[in-house]
Amino acid sequence: PSEARPLRQSQIFEPVIYKGIGPENKRCMRQLFKNQRISLTKKKLIESHSNLYFPVPPDDNGEEPKPTDMQVLYAMLVGSPMNLLLLALPLAIASKSCGWSAQSVFIFNFITMVPLAALLGDFTEEVAAHTSQTVGGLINATFGNAVEVVVAIQALLAGEIRVVQASMIGSIFSNLLLVLGCCFFFGGLKHKEQKFQSMVATANMGLLALSSIALVLPTPFAAYYEVDDAAVLSISRIVAVFLIIMYIQLLVFQLKTHTDIIEDDDDAETEMNLFVALGGLLGVTLLITLLSEYLVSSIDGFCASSGLSRTFVGLIILPIVGNAVEHVTAVSVAMKDKMDLAMAVAIGSCTQISLFVAPLMVIIGWVVGIPMTLNFPHFEVILFILSLVVVSICVSNSKSNWLEGSMLVTTYIMVAVGFWFEKVKDF
């Protein structure tokens, strides 16, 4: 008999190395526009199948067998405890079909969309892994905030302009203050001082400052000079075009001219067939589109029954739908002293919303004839600019600690209290 082939070290220690890694790490990598796609699905398979805790014998070529598409799909569904929320999917659909109360429709659809956002990230990563680095980066950038885009489009088509505006700036506040603050705080509790790249932080803060100008032009500027509504709409549309052009330049910067800023040591690794990944991406996107329509249609009834304002729902509650998984991941990687990744998730997501998602809503409104503008309430614009000042001071020295994190979280809580009492006229 031939001599037995010795097991490789990776085979022996795989269960220990991969233990505790969740599927949401892929979504974080996508925010960094990284293409070093590690085999996270295989790790989830190891965690979810007891028989894979033992070394898998290599094939004739000495390579580990690749999991089947069904195994990968199964691992995506059972690999995270958060996916237990998918059990609310039948209730989410039944609540609308059977005419349940608006509060029930809102709650069940809200709960269901949280794990669907994570699954959308998994399928996006799989599709991007089948393409080149540039195309993969574009796919990741496009679907990075897909849930926010779908919800915002549904609200816009329903005429809920105030909800659209509130959800856009609410997502920015959530990532910029709450998520980044939690990263600094919990990371600082474990590490006395943490460092991150100054270039990435400075570039993102500069782009956010640029977007603040876009909010000032049609808001205080228009009010001071008594510009009529038609001119405000024109200003918003022109500014939106320039913001999207700036976003395209950001993609060129990250994916073409300065790719060396982000390490790229590993080759893209696919786990499932391209057509299966595309089918999953399309299916989840359609499901999110359907549930977001139910969610938006129930906002008025939910606000009436709960006593919450539509502004508070858009600013504080709706951002949780698309950002919950990213929030948890950002904090976990910060506690592992990977602050560059945490910063990319928190501030990078803000940049994408301010330069792409918000202007895109103005353009879509322009196309369908809905007067969506960047004319935000003065109170929100002032808080946005002040928040940028606070965050800029905290990241100016490329170091962080728990006190700075506590400062940002406290700022978010105070902003939320202000929004609780804010009364804004409906459009």
Side-chain angles (χ1 to χ4, degrees):
S2 58
E3 184 177 353
R5 184 187 292 108
L7 292 174
R8 295 193 300 276
Q9 185 177 8
S10 61
Q11 289 179 283
I12 300 174
F13 294 101
E14 264 186 338
V16 179
I17 295 174
Y18 295 155
K19 189 67 177 173
I21 297 181
E24 63 272 9
N25 283 339
K26 283 185 174 180
R27 191 164 171 81
C28 275
M29 295 297 180
R30 186 172 65 261
Q31 296 299 328
L32 253 182
F33 302 107
K34 274 193 171 182
N35 290 291
Q36 54 176 37
R37 300 177 180 89
I38 56 178
S39 179
L40 291 176
T41 309
K42 184 181 295 184
K43 300 171 188 178
K44 290 182 286 187
L45 280 169
I46 292 175
E47 291 187 84
S48 59
H49 297 274
S50 59
N51 62 309
L52 290 180
Y53 274 100
F54 300 96
V56 180
D59 57 18
D60 296 336
N61 297 324
E63 298 179 355
E64 298 173 2
K66 186 177 180 179
T68 65
D69 290 337
M70 291 303 298
Q71 286 178 311
V72 175
L73 289 173
Y74 177 78
M76 282 185 178
L77 292 175
V78 304
S80 171
M82 186 175 293
N83 288 343
L84 290 174
L85 296 178
L86 288 173
L87 295 175
L89 177 59
L91 297 176
I93 298 176
S95 62
K96 181 65 176 180
S97 303
C98 300
W100 296 359
S101 66
Q103 196 166 7
S104 299
V105 175
F106 184 91
I107 292 175
F108 285 128
N109 284 275
F110 177 86
I111 291 174
T112 306
M113 288 182 65
V114 173
L116 285 178
L119 289 177
L120 183 67
D122 286 338
F123 284 117
T124 300
E125 186 70 19
E126 287 295 335
V127 172
H130 284 276
T131 63
S132 63
Q133 286 191 353
T134 303
V135 176
L138 290 174
I139 293 174
N140 285 327
T142 303
F143 284 89
N145 291 92
V147 177
E148 290 89 338
V149 172
V150 171
V151 173
I153 291 176
Q154 293 286 4
L156 182 63
L157 296 178
E160 299 280 2
I161 297 179
R162 182 62 207 135
V163 174
V164 177
Q165 290 184 332
S167 63
M168 293 296 99
I169 200 167
S171 294
I172 295 176
F173 279 124
S174 176
N175 284 283
L176 192 63
L177 297 176
L178 180 62
V179 180
L180 187 61
C182 288
C183 291
F184 284 178
F185 181 78
F186 290 103
L189 291 179
K190 193 170 182 179
H191 309 276
K192 185 175 182 180
E193 189 175 77
Q194 296 177 288
K195 299 180 180 180
F196 48 86
Q197 287 186 8
S198 60
M199 180 182 294
V200 176
T202 303
N204 280 288
M205 295 308 300
L207 292 170
L208 287 174
L210 172 65
S211 66
S212 69
I213 298 177
L215 300 184
V216 170
L217 283 176
T219 309
F221 178 86
Y224 182 81
Y225 289 102
E226 298 181 352
V227 178
D228 57 25
D229 292 340
V232 170
L233 186 59
S234 298
I235 293 174
S236 297
R237 289 171 176 175
I238 294 172
V239 168
V241 172
F242 278 101
L243 288 179
I244 291 179
I245 293 174
M246 195 69 239
Y247 178 71
I248 294 174
Q249 295 178 59
L250 173 63
L251 292 181
V252 174
F253 179 85
Q254 290 180 313
L255 301 176
K256 189 70 176 177
T257 63
H258 287 68
T259 54
D260 57 306
I261 296 178
I262 302 173
E263 296 180 2
D264 189 10
D265 299 328
D266 299 330
D267 295 329
E269 184 176 349
T270 61
E271 296 292 344
M272 66 172 61
N273 182 274
L274 174 60
F275 295 104
V276 176
L278 285 172
L281 181 63
L282 178 62
V284 174
T285 302
L286 293 176
L287 192 56
I288 289 176
T289 302
L290 176 66
L291 297 184
S292 64
E293 181 182 357
Y294 295 167
L295 184 72
V296 170
S297 64
S298 65
I299 288 179
D300 287 339
F302 174 77
C303 293
S305 60
S306 63
L308 299 176
S309 66
R310 290 195 298 170
T311 298
F312 186 83
V313 170
L315 281 161
I316 305 300
I317 298 179
L318 286 185
I320 299 176
V321 173
N323 298 329
V325 177
E326 294 177 359
H327 292 186
V328 174
T329 304
V331 174
S332 65
V333 297
M335 295 181 68
K336 297 175 184 176
D337 203 21
K338 299 178 181 178
M339 286 305 299
D340 285 326
L341 179 56
M343 292 281 291
V345 174
I347 300 183
S349 182
C350 297
T351 305
Q352 191 172 31
I353 292 171
S354 61
L355 293 183
F356 177 67
V357 180
L360 181 63
M361 295 304 106
V362 176
I363 301 299
I364 292 177
W366 189 2
V367 173
V368 299
I370 297 177
M372 171 66 190
T373 71
L374 296 176
N375 186 10
F376 286 74
H378 293 198
F379 175 65
E380 296 176 8
V381 176
I382 293 172
L383 284 177
F384 175 60
I385 295 175
L386 290 177
S387 298
L388 288 181
V389 172
V390 174
V391 175
S392 297
I393 294 174
C394 291
V395 302
S396 59
N397 62 349
S398 302
K399 299 177 182 178
S400 65
N401 53 63
W402 68 265
L403 182 60
E404 292 178 343
S406 178
M407 185 191 314
L408 296 180
V409 174
T410 303
T411 303
Y412 180 78
I413 294 174
M414 291 192 297
V415 168
V417 170
F419 288 146
W420 177 273
F421 294 99
E422 184 185 21
K423 302 295 181 183
V424 180
K425 66 177 182 178
D426 294 332
F427 289 90

